[in-house]
Amino acid sequence: MNRSEIMRKLSRILILTMILTLVLASNAWADSGIVSGGVVNLRSGPGTQYELVGTLSKDTRVEVIQSRSGWHQVQYGDVQGWITGEYLTVTQSPKLRVTGDMVNLRSGPGTNYPQVGQAKKGEILDLVDTCDQWYQIRTAAGLQAYISANYITTVNSGTSTSPAQPAPPQPSVPALPGKTPAVFYNGQKLAFDVPPMIDNSRTMVPLRAIFEAMGATVTWNQSTQTATAEKGDTTVILPLNSTTPTINGTVTKIDVPAKLIDQRILAPLRFVGEAFGGTVGWDQASYTIDIQLKEEPTPSPQPVRTNLVVIDPGHGGTETGTIAEGVMEKDITLDIGLRVGNILRNRGIPIQLTRTEDVNVGLQERADLANELNAAIFVSIHCNSFNNVVSGTETLYYAPESNPELFAMKAERQELAQAIQDQLIASLMRKNRGAKEDNLSVLRNTRMPSALAEVMFLDNPEERALLLQDSTKQQAAEAIATGIQNFMQR
């Protein structure tokens, strides 16, 4: 083979390589996929014989680079690998058509970002993501950039009789590289121990901080990796690494799954802000996010208050409360609660216990029972815990100015808590930690004077030993009962 033939063959190989590269590049951004299996293996090549390079959780969205032999090469963040088509649902990405004559393409979602190119009128672009009034796109040449939503329209696929492509997803809160927006709730700036982060052009915020600011109760189930938030008659359930949380049983799709960062659950801001009926506003000039939630308690006729006292032994059933050296909080609180009930009955005061045995009773269910019975007083009994060293007794109440119904009872709630606290300190002679205000579910959701007594610290060895003595439990019960009676006779 002479030199000229060799050169011709090399040229053909080079041209073929370039064509293949362009084809792969153009296909790289055409499709996206959703992982449909629970936890799916990511491999270095298209087959089970290839090395395992990672795993992807169900509902994770990935970019499909290429497909081969029933396998798809995908990209998730900085990670690339192959996943079997059996566990990946591939969808064609939406298309956009440029409507402006010559529209600037920029490196970020705003006119303050550098121009990186231009798109002609009629040019078709692949939609990658949305960011407020900007769209992240890829051109046919593979350039990734941002274009203003004012100069594009969606494109139908196929012939005129084919169904239209899905519209671009609802624009979410924008995110600028290296900058974190300030978050306000009803005009008050929120502080986070784990700062908001940007994930796939979405602002992710600590879920608990915002939900609790809204007055919701947040619990975490370690075994199912699921967060549950409750407020009134609304329940939000958000599994980790899932894009399908539910609100009162109805699935609400989010485009970025919740993540666990530094022991805090981070979720898309717009979902968190709107889950309990709030609205999320964005101010580009000040780079702030404003969440507004209007609290309007429905006025209702005030029921005739009885002199019934509801005693609530904390925890129960599978909800053990604090466990210290095998001693469970639920057993101590039930013992003391039964004693309080007997003492009050003997003094002629009608009572109702939320539980009389070791069973599960929901937090809302406890409050509902007291409300339905038009109880005069609700008192919950608990044991405290912290770090095996802290000790003492405290009694809690809740009457914030943000809740007009509870705030109207602030003096009564505080007086009840103080009456119980005074008797506990006089009887048990432990460190006086005071009567304090705290946002707890049974205090927030009861509609009468209510208090929660933290008798002692169960994880403190000295106080645990005391709590195991019948004499101490009887002293605590008599103190709580006397505090209640003193409040009723004031």
Side-chain angles (χ1 to χ4, degrees):
M1 183 180 297
N2 59 37
R3 180 181 177 86
S4 61
E5 290 176 339
I6 293 174
M7 292 303 294
R8 282 196 298 273
K9 286 196 172 186
L10 287 174
S11 298
R12 285 196 295 270
I13 292 172
L14 179 60
I15 292 170
L16 182 60
T17 302
M18 292 173 65
I19 292 172
L20 182 59
T21 300
L22 288 173
V23 169
L24 291 178
S26 63
N27 286 338
W29 312 115
D31 298 336
S32 63
I34 300 292
V35 176
S36 56
V39 178
V40 181
N41 291 332
L42 196 64
R43 298 186 177 276
S44 61
T48 56
Q49 72 274 23
Y50 287 91
E51 180 184 359
L52 185 66
V53 297
T55 59
L56 293 173
S57 302
K58 185 178 181 180
D59 296 327
T60 299
R61 182 181 295 275
V62 296
E63 292 177 346
V64 179
I65 298 173
Q66 60 172 309
S67 303
R68 186 191 307 169
S69 304
W71 287 72
H72 302 285
Q73 187 182 24
V74 301
Q75 180 157 343
Y76 179 70
D78 296 330
V79 179
Q80 280 192 11
W82 291 79
I83 182 174
T84 175
E86 185 177 352
Y87 300 118
L88 187 71
T89 302
V90 179
T91 56
Q92 185 75 25
S93 63
K95 304 291 183 183
L96 305 174
R97 177 183 288 111
V98 179
T99 57
D101 291 333
M102 187 64 74
V103 183
N104 292 332
L105 303 179
R106 298 186 178 276
S107 63
T111 55
N112 54 319
Y113 286 87
Q115 180 180 334
V116 295
Q118 289 186 314
K120 298 178 181 179
K121 186 174 183 178
E123 186 173 343
I124 302 299
L125 307 171
D126 288 328
L127 174 65
V128 176
D129 207 346
T130 60
C131 221
D132 197 30
Q133 296 304 310
W134 289 76
Y135 291 92
Q136 187 180 16
I137 55 88
R138 285 191 176 88
T139 67
L143 173 65
Q144 181 173 330
Y146 289 81
I147 188 171
S148 171
N150 296 324
Y151 303 108
I152 61 168
T153 185
T154 56
V155 179
N156 290 345
S157 63
T159 64
S160 59
T161 57
S162 300
Q165 286 282 356
Q170 181 66 28
S172 186
V173 177
L176 293 180
K179 189 174 181 180
T180 301
V183 181
F184 289 80
Y185 172 69
N186 283 351
Q188 296 294 317
K189 186 175 182 180
L190 300 182
F192 306 109
D193 50 2
V194 175
M197 61 171 285
I198 305 307
D199 184 15
N200 198 21
S201 298
R202 294 292 180 265
T203 301
M204 308 286 284
V205 294
L207 175 146
R208 181 182 291 272
I210 294 180
F211 276 174
E212 290 186 344
M214 292 178 166
T217 300
V218 182
T219 57
W220 170 251
N221 188 313
Q222 182 65 30
S223 60
T224 61
Q225 297 282 283
T226 300
T228 301
E230 295 179 292
K231 181 184 179 185
D233 57 1
T234 302
T235 300
V236 178
I237 299 176
L238 180 61
L240 207 60
N241 299 318
S242 171
T243 58
T244 54
T246 62
I247 300 177
N248 286 344
T250 301
V251 173
T252 301
K253 290 283 291 183
I254 55 178
D255 48 8
V256 178
K259 303 179 185 305
L260 191 64
I261 305 293
D262 292 337
Q263 302 305 308
R264 291 290 182 268
I265 304 165
L266 270 65
L269 172 62
R270 188 169 294 278
F271 168 76
V272 175
E274 295 177 351
F276 288 104
T279 58
V280 179
W282 167 249
D283 182 27
Q284 178 71 31
S286 61
Y287 209 73
T288 58
I289 296 159
D290 184 30
I291 303 173
Q292 292 288 332
L293 180 62
K294 191 173 183 180
E295 298 280 358
E296 291 186 353
T298 303
S300 57
Q302 291 298 313
V304 176
R305 189 72 68 200
T306 69
N307 63 344
L308 176 73
V309 176
V310 173
I311 303 299
D312 174 42
H315 305 288
T318 58
E319 294 294 328
T320 61
T322 297
I323 301 177
E325 297 297 325
V327 181
M328 298 183 185
E329 182 182 357
K330 66 174 183 177
D331 296 329
I332 302 294
T333 61
L334 180 58
D335 194 337
I336 295 175
L338 291 172
R339 293 170 189 261
V340 173
N342 288 333
I343 293 168
L344 290 175
R345 280 197 199 95
N346 291 336
R347 296 180 183 180
I349 298 174
I351 68 102
Q352 174 69 51
L353 286 137
T354 59
R355 67 182 181 100
T356 57
E357 54 188 0
D358 187 17
V359 294
N360 283 82
V361 182
L363 295 175
Q364 187 64 50
E365 186 179 351
R366 297 167 193 255
D368 288 345
L369 174 65
N371 294 335
E372 290 167 6
L373 293 173
N374 295 332
I377 294 172
F378 175 94
V379 176
S380 189
I381 301 170
H382 285 258
C383 298
N384 226 329
S385 67
F386 186 65
N387 62 358
N388 304 323
V389 176
V390 177
S391 63
T393 301
E394 61 187 21
T395 307
L396 309 174
Y397 67 96
Y398 186 62
E401 190 172 358
S402 59
N403 187 321
E405 183 180 4
L406 299 187
F407 188 67
M409 291 187 285
K410 181 169 185 177
E412 289 180 288
R413 288 184 165 220
Q414 187 173 16
E415 190 176 342
L416 172 62
Q418 192 64 58
I420 294 172
Q421 178 72 7
D422 289 344
Q423 291 300 316
L424 284 170
I425 294 303
S427 179
L428 302 177
M429 294 184 292
R430 305 307 299 172
K431 179 180 178 180
N432 188 350
R433 297 175 59 84
K436 305 175 181 178
E437 190 166 12
D438 200 358
N439 182 3
L440 301 174
S441 177
V442 292
L443 302 180
R444 184 175 61 249
N445 294 313
T446 44
R447 297 196 298 267
M448 71 288 301
S450 58
L452 187 149
E454 298 276 13
V455 180
M456 294 185 197
F457 281 76
L458 187 60
D459 63 346
N460 180 293
E462 179 184 356
E463 294 196 338
R464 181 169 61 253
L466 289 171
L467 286 167
L468 289 173
Q469 297 176 13
D470 283 342
S471 59
T472 302
K473 288 181 279 192
Q474 184 65 24
Q475 285 178 317
E478 289 176 355
I480 293 171
T482 300
I484 292 171
Q485 188 173 23
N486 288 348
F487 173 80
M488 296 180 76
Q489 294 174 348
R490 70 195 189 285

